[in-house]
Amino acid sequence: MRKKLVVGNWKMNMTRGQASAAIESLLLLVDPNTEVEVAICPTYLTIETVSHLLRRSHFLYGAQNVFWMPSGAFTGSISATMLADAGCSFCIVGHSETRGRFGKLEVPESTLGYFSETDETINLKIKSLLYQSIRPILCVGETLAEREAGNTDSVIYDQVKGALAGIEPAEYYSGVVAYEPVWAIGTGKTCDSAEANRVCGVVRKAVAEILDADAAESVQILYGGSVKSGNAAELFSQSDIDGGLVGGASLDAEEFSKIVRSA
Ligand code: PGA
């Protein structure tokens, strides 16, 4: 039986002071005996603050990105070895914002090359995380144009295949995949729960084909994209949705705790 998992993706938000306040509130608001796995992915600079506050709680934490080499001349990069050293249980990989696929574009289009994640770099990152026993949260999702062209399922399949190439099935038994339609991220538009469940089923089938049936059965598949307290229960009750990857709504402790309760 797969556990429900709710992950807060804080993105580029929260100073150390704000992070402390948010975690202190969350610890008061979330039932310490909850069966739900709860994790927070803050910025690299607040991981230490968050880990210190969470040390005696059931909450887990992780990072939002990683570089695949263990150490060396890679200015500005952070390795899986360093994330493991900081006690991270999870790491988000292949988020649409690092792939340069934005639901709401807030930077000049000419700068999109900066966000240049590819299936190959995602695959290398996942391998480096698994080597350190950090659970990857692989994000996949189609743009509005891809959906309108009827390509949703093939885009999802190709992203899962590219990311998991060459990985031993058993290595991914505690891995996570998040289905995040790009057009629903930070836009307030949520995917209809039946359609979100259908695409999460496509992800599970892809994992079965690319890895094996046991991996497909054990992998936790999350939905992400404008999850809020008002839609979480409906989304999380779907058969193939094992929880959520929550962006904007995870910045508010009260709202996030309600989403955890819905799971
Ligand atoms: P959102 O972001 O909840 O703000 O839409 C989700 C995500 O990008 O992980």
Side-chain angles (χ1 to χ4, degrees):
M1 183 70 186
R2 293 182 298 272
K3 275 194 172 175
K4 288 280 191 236
L5 167 66
V6 178
V7 180
N9 173 12
W10 281 1
K11 306 192 180 184
M12 196 177 71
N13 294 292
M14 301 274 195
T15 59
R16 285 181 296 171
Q18 291 166 334
S20 297
I23 295 293
E24 277 162 8
S25 304
L26 264 186
L27 289 172
L28 293 174
L29 290 164
V30 176
D31 175 3
N33 300 314
T34 177
E35 298 276 301
V36 178
E37 285 190 298
V38 185
I40 297 292
C41 295
T43 65
Y44 291 133
L45 284 176
T46 45
I47 286 177
E48 183 88 22
T49 307
V50 166
S51 74
H52 181 72
L53 290 168
L54 294 182
R55 69 194 182 284
R56 277 191 218 94
S57 78
H58 65 291
F59 277 58
L60 301 166
Y61 59 91
Q64 299 171 15
N65 204 349
V66 66
F67 185 67
W68 61 86
M69 294 292 283
S71 63
F74 300 101
T75 303
S77 299
I78 302 279
S79 71
T81 318
M82 293 166 180
L83 297 184
D85 184 48
C88 290
S89 302
F90 292 97
C91 183
I92 296 170
V93 195
H95 193 281
S96 54
E97 287 154 13
T98 62
R99 294 181 196 246
R101 290 153 61 85
F102 288 87
K104 192 172 82 184
L105 193 61
E106 291 180 293
V107 296
E109 212 169 330
S110 56
T111 62
L112 279 181
Y114 177 81
F115 308 92
S116 51
E117 191 87 278
T118 64
D119 285 340
E120 187 180 5
T121 60
I122 291 165
N123 179 251
L124 288 165
K125 289 176 180 189
I126 290 179
K127 286 174 179 161
S128 77
L129 291 168
L130 293 173
Y131 188 71
Q132 292 295 335
S133 304
I134 296 173
R135 296 164 63 188
I137 301 173
L138 163 67
C139 299
V140 297
E142 82 287 1
T143 61
L144 190 59
E146 289 162 349
R147 170 163 286 268
E148 286 174 350
N151 295 335
T152 299
D153 296 10
S154 63
V155 167
I156 300 300
Y157 182 87
D158 289 349
Q159 287 178 346
V160 175
K161 188 169 186 195
L164 300 182
I167 286 167
E168 282 297 317
E171 282 186 289
Y172 214 81
Y173 286 1
S174 58
V176 180
V177 182
Y179 167 54
E180 298 204 310
V182 177
W183 47 270
I185 296 180
T187 58
K189 288 182 203 144
T190 324
C191 187
D192 162 68
S193 57
E195 173 61 7
N197 189 50
R198 188 193 71 76
V199 184
C200 287
V202 171
V203 171
R204 205 174 294 286
K205 226 170 123 225
V207 172
E209 254 177 74
I210 295 153
L211 299 179
D212 66 13
D214 287 343
E217 194 43 47
S218 56
V219 73
Q220 284 159 307
I221 301 180
L222 311 182
Y223 169 79
S226 298
V227 175
K228 304 184 221 39
S229 60
N231 59 26
E234 162 88 18
L235 285 160
F236 300 167
S237 65
Q238 305 294 316
S239 57
D240 269 316
I241 301 182
D242 303 315
L245 180 57
V246 187
S250 71
L251 300 173
D252 180 308
E254 197 143 333
E255 178 71 3
F256 188 65
S257 67
K258 284 186 194 158
I259 294 172
V260 172
R261 233 169 288 143
S262 305

